[in-house]
Amino acid sequence: MYFLPITLLVAAQLPAALTAAACGSAEAYAAIDAEAFTVAAVRQPPVNFALPVGLNKTWVDLDLNATVDQAIQTIAEAKDDGVALIAFPELYFPGYPVAINTAYTAEQIAQYVSQSMSIDSAAFRKLVNAFKDQGVYGEFGFSEIADGMIFMAQVLVGPDGTILRHRRKLRPSGVERDIWSDGDMSGLTVTPTPHGRIGLLECWEHFHPTMTFVMQAQAENIHIAAFPYAPDFGVDPAAWESAEVGGAAARAYAVNSGAYVIMPAVGTASIFGNDGSTLSIINATDSPEVNYITATINTTTFSNATYDSDGEQSWAALQQIVAEFPAYIPKVNSTFFAKKTVPIKSII
């Protein structure tokens, strides 16, 4: 595996352990080496994913159960490599339907909906149990089916199988808004763990200050920036889906937040230090047998601060933004910010 050690330089330490109510079984967390905490960013394609990454816009019938089985093998492989936290890309289960950026039919969307996963399904529990069985943290993106809709969901799982965070992408991007429904602000919450304060966002959320500001104000130590896919650097199928654009967003997030950023993406994946340095990176077409990249950090040096009142992402900074907002821009509501729901029956 691709492996690069790094020592974090932050002043205060986290408490030795959190309460069981906060993070489940203390034994599972204590078994992880906090001084050599290895993180992994998955870049392995889901089963049936259209290749080459970013260039093939053909519709494919993605397979949830086959991808779950593949992921379970990858999680076990990662544990054997000493990984303590493994992060999967956005909508990895069953996979991102790249054809929606060109054309799709109602029948094709119906097939995709049939491969979406509910949080009380056997497939979901099977996947969560895989992290528990290996005693590792896990993060994954999935198309969640609930209440007659689908959502772009993201979950953080503890090494004992506890669901530490379940969120839905607040505002799906572009054509995604015609298929997946909006999440809500409750998902913009950082999760404290014995190995740092961990935050999650997906893809284009990293370009919206209304989302990044809220997360960065909560003083993350580790941030998972899940992107769906990225082609090789230098390949530009569309500027917005290039590795350069996604990687720049993740790297800038690391600099702005002071958090270590894990960017899983099918194809080109990256891991950045809290100063924006490259800890590990791989091109989409390089070493296809490599399922993930890794970096190792010392989490015992993380600060346990939950906010910084003097920070650039602080309440005072927000108040300044409100007070000094350009007068010529009308302070009115807009239809864009009305919560959008997309009933499944309307898209299939």
Side-chain angles (χ1 to χ4, degrees):
M1 294 300 98
Y2 286 66
F3 179 87
L4 189 69
I6 187 75
T7 300
L8 309 187
L9 300 174
V10 188
Q13 288 191 341
L14 271 172
L18 300 181
T19 64
C23 64
S25 168
E27 293 80 6
Y29 292 81
I32 292 174
D33 187 346
E35 294 185 355
F37 187 83
T38 300
V39 299
V42 171
R43 44 90 64 150
Q44 177 185 30
V47 174
N48 295 343
F49 192 86
L51 299 173
V53 175
L55 298 177
N56 187 348
K57 297 297 195 297
T58 304
W59 181 273
V60 295
D61 287 347
L62 294 161
D63 189 327
L64 172 63
N65 290 325
T67 299
V68 168
D69 289 341
Q70 174 182 276
I72 290 171
Q73 295 179 10
T74 302
I75 295 165
E77 176 191 349
K79 176 56 183 283
D80 289 343
D81 277 345
V83 169
L85 185 160
I86 182 168
F88 287 84
E90 181 183 42
L91 286 182
Y92 193 80
F93 302 97
Y96 191 95
V98 295
I100 63 171
N101 294 309
T102 51
Y104 58 87
T105 66
E107 291 75 19
Q108 289 168 337
I109 293 297
Q111 189 278 332
Y112 189 84
V113 168
S114 76
Q115 300 303 300
S116 297
M117 182 165 60
S118 69
I119 61 172
D120 58 357
S121 67
F124 183 87
R125 181 46 52 189
K126 185 177 181 180
L127 185 57
V128 169
N129 283 340
F131 298 113
K132 179 181 179 181
D133 292 344
Q134 299 302 331
V136 299
Y137 289 90
E139 176 278 337
F140 61 90
F142 66 108
S143 181
E144 179 188 358
I145 185 167
D147 302 322
M149 295 171 282
I150 54 175
F151 301 87
M152 303 180 77
Q154 198 174 15
V155 162
L156 177 66
V157 183
D160 64 345
T162 302
I163 305 300
L164 301 178
R165 182 67 56 198
H166 167 218
R167 67 177 300 268
R168 294 165 174 172
K169 191 173 185 179
L170 181 59
R171 180 57 41 87
S173 310
V175 71
E176 293 170 0
R177 295 206 73 201
D178 296 332
I179 300 170
W180 290 275
S181 292
D182 287 354
D184 58 65
M185 289 293 291
S186 68
L188 301 183
T189 307
V190 173
T191 303
T193 79
H195 301 97
R197 295 174 56 75
I198 302 175
L200 318 173
L201 287 177
E202 295 187 296
C203 195
W204 225 246
E205 289 184 307
H206 293 87
F207 290 89
H208 294 294
T210 50
M211 299 167 202
T212 60
F213 189 102
V214 175
M215 296 298 290
Q216 291 166 0
Q218 297 173 69
E220 296 164 284
N221 304 125
I222 296 173
H223 178 79
I224 299 171
F227 280 69
Y229 61 91
D232 283 344
F233 284 97
V235 174
D236 198 15
W240 57 265
E241 63 179 343
S242 68
E244 285 82 357
V245 169
R251 190 189 299 273
Y253 194 98
V255 174
N256 205 18
S257 65
Y260 284 73
V261 173
I262 308 165
M263 180 186 165
V266 175
T268 296
S270 309
I271 302 174
F272 299 106
N274 67 343
D275 57 356
S277 58
T278 301
L279 303 186
S280 190
I281 200 163
I282 190 169
N283 243 350
T285 56
D286 290 346
S287 305
E289 74 283 359
V290 174
N291 294 328
Y292 49 82
I293 57 173
T294 65
T296 300
I297 57 182
N298 180 353
T299 66
T300 66
T301 58
F302 280 144
S303 169
N304 62 356
T306 58
Y307 61 88
D308 179 0
S309 60
D310 292 321
E312 294 182 19
Q313 286 80 31
S314 65
W315 178 252
L318 179 61
Q319 291 298 97
Q320 181 187 48
I321 291 169
V322 172
E324 302 301 328
F325 202 74
Y328 71 90
I329 298 177
K331 297 174 178 60
V332 296
N333 290 325
S334 71
T335 57
F336 179 81
F337 282 95
K339 186 170 183 178
K340 183 177 182 181
T341 57
V342 186
I344 289 173
K345 63 183 181 181
S346 72
I347 56 175
I348 67 172

